[in-house]
Amino acid sequence: MGVVKVYYEVETEERQERYVGVSQAEIEALQADNGVEIVEQTEMEPAIGPEGQPVPAFEVIVRRSHDKPRFCVDGVPQEEIRIAKDTRRLARCRFIAHEVKRSYGDLLAEGWPKAELDRMAADHSNDGEMAARHAYDNSDPGNPVDESQREITVTEAYGLFDLEGEGKLEYRRILKGGTYIHENEVVDDRPFAVFSPILMPYKLLGLGFFDLVEDLQRIKTALTRQVLDSAYLSNNPMKEVVTGQVDLDDLMNPRAGGIIRVKAPGMVNPHVTPFLGEAGMAVIGHVDQVRDQRTGVTETNSALNAESLARGQVGSEGVQSLMQAGAQRQKLIARVLAETGLKRIYQLMLKLVTQYQDRPEQMKVNGRWLSIDPREWR
């Protein structure tokens, strides 16, 4: 299962600016701007006006902030999703939640009560999938020294609840950290799109390619290990040694051109192990054929086209049949992903744009500038 989250957020950008030699009128103009806050104001030596009279001048430091709306489409790691496993379709999902680690400073800036945040313990949990995701480059941040970077698990849950006790279910969004509920509101939809390449009847969660080939991968691992063991024993065979008739130091330290000291001829005899690589590779090839039949992805139809393969020994007719057989499952998976996940993503994007876009937008289409107003769309 793959999950994509589509949502709207307003990011506030702040920066400090320094003005030197500004007049009182210019300061008032700055104050008239809603996004400007004067942090520090220092009077300077008066400037000389056009008529020679002194004019008050100031050095001003201001903090300028403005809201930047964004429409976001984010991939969600699977370990952060909680979902009712008996869900048949996302439209009637009775519970789905996104658990994500947020920093203490970010939550405090968003208006969470400091007393509640201080009661929440730091989250050091790390499940197997998350550990594997961060193990290869050691990107796990660990325990931060700065209190503002302390991580707290925040749950954004969507589900059907009867909070009024009237027997009427309402779809609600609940944002919580620990036992503190920060937001609890009625919503009309959930911002998630779910992908599954191979659908299961009456189930939202389907199968992936790993489910089809897990047993084959384990078989190939065992067979490959056995072929390598056979090669090692064939190149370095075990030896029969007569006790007390051979210098074991010479025997245990083989080297090119070395010697083995014995007290009589024939005291060392190699115990030859036949190399079974050819038979093992044939079995591995059979496992690969089973894998290709299950997945539809073969070496002959991935990253190559029919024309390049037709020049080989398979022949144009054989290549065409191989390409068609492998493409059937690929086309089916592409259609499933399009009809379930991608269609849902575009529906959510359309919903957010019509709901939050507050001004017409200029777009260039086929060399012409067009004005579109999503507020007029349904």
Side-chain angles (χ1 to χ4, degrees), residues 220-296:
K220 282 190 64 176
T221 300
L223 289 174
T224 303
R225 184 178 295 114
Q226 291 174 6
V227 170
L228 293 176
D229 290 342
S230 176
Y232 300 152
L233 291 173
S234 178
N235 294 333
N236 298 281
M238 299 178 66
K239 301 175 179 64
E240 295 178 356
V241 179
V242 178
T243 305
Q245 301 297 311
V246 178
D247 190 313
L248 293 181
D249 289 337
D250 296 341
L251 189 65
M252 299 301 294
N253 295 281
R255 61 187 184 275
I259 62 172
I260 299 177
R261 288 168 287 186
V262 297
K263 295 182 179 180
M267 295 296 101
V268 179
N269 296 310
H271 186 74
V272 179
T273 301
F275 178 55
L276 303 178
E278 184 176 354
M281 296 304 295
V283 178
I284 292 177
H286 171 70
V287 174
D288 288 339
Q289 291 179 2
V290 177
R291 177 203 61 196
D292 296 345
Q293 292 173 0
R294 290 187 185 181
T295 62

Side-chain angles (χ1 to χ4, degrees), residues 278-322:
E278 184 176 354
M281 296 304 295
V283 178
I284 292 177
H286 171 70
V287 174
D288 288 339
Q289 291 179 2
V290 177
R291 177 203 61 196
D292 296 345
Q293 292 173 0
R294 290 187 185 181
T295 62
V297 180
T298 66
E299 295 180 359
T300 56
N301 66 6
S302 60
L304 291 175
N305 54 36
E307 287 75 16
S308 63
L309 289 173
R311 302 189 186 98
Q313 298 179 356
V314 180
S316 58
E317 296 180 358
V319 167
Q320 190 65 28
S321 62
L322 288 173

Side-chain angles (χ1 to χ4, degrees), residues 321-375:
S321 62
L322 288 173
M323 295 288 289
Q324 291 177 354
Q328 288 180 358
R329 180 177 286 271
Q330 293 179 10
K331 289 181 179 179
L332 175 61
I333 290 175
R335 173 58 62 185
V336 167
L337 296 179
E339 293 290 345
T340 57
L342 285 175
K343 177 183 286 189
R344 168 73 176 167
I345 287 177
Y346 277 91
Q347 289 173 344
L348 290 173
M349 291 170 61
L350 174 63
K351 177 178 180 294
L352 292 179
V353 170
T354 55
Q355 184 175 356
Y356 292 104
Q357 182 77 23
D358 57 356
R359 62 179 63 90
E361 190 79 20
Q362 300 292 327
M363 298 183 65
K364 192 174 185 180
V365 180
N366 294 332
R368 296 175 53 200
W369 284 98
L370 302 177
S371 178
I372 62 171
D373 192 354
R375 295 173 295 182

Side-chain angles (χ1 to χ4, degrees), residues 84-140:
K85 288 192 174 182
D86 60 349
T87 303
R88 293 190 177 186
R89 56 193 179 94
L90 193 60
R92 293 296 297 172
C93 179
R94 60 186 178 88
F95 180 82
I96 184 170
H98 182 200
E99 286 189 359
V100 62
K101 294 181 181 180
R102 301 283 306 280
S103 69
Y104 179 96
D106 288 342
L107 296 179
L108 194 63
E110 291 180 4
W112 289 56
K114 186 177 185 301
E116 295 290 344
L117 293 176
D118 292 338
R119 277 197 288 265
M120 299 179 193
D123 188 356
H124 303 304
S125 61
N126 201 355
D127 64 3
E129 186 166 352
M130 184 181 296
R133 194 184 308 279
H134 294 281
Y136 79 99
D137 61 351
N138 297 320
S139 60
D140 190 354

Side-chain angles (χ1 to χ4, degrees), residues 15 32 42 49 56 78 95 145 185 197 234 258 260 343:
R15 66 178 185 272
T42 306
Q78 191 176 19
F95 180 82
V145 177
E185 57 185 354
S234 178
I260 299 177
K343 177 183 286 189

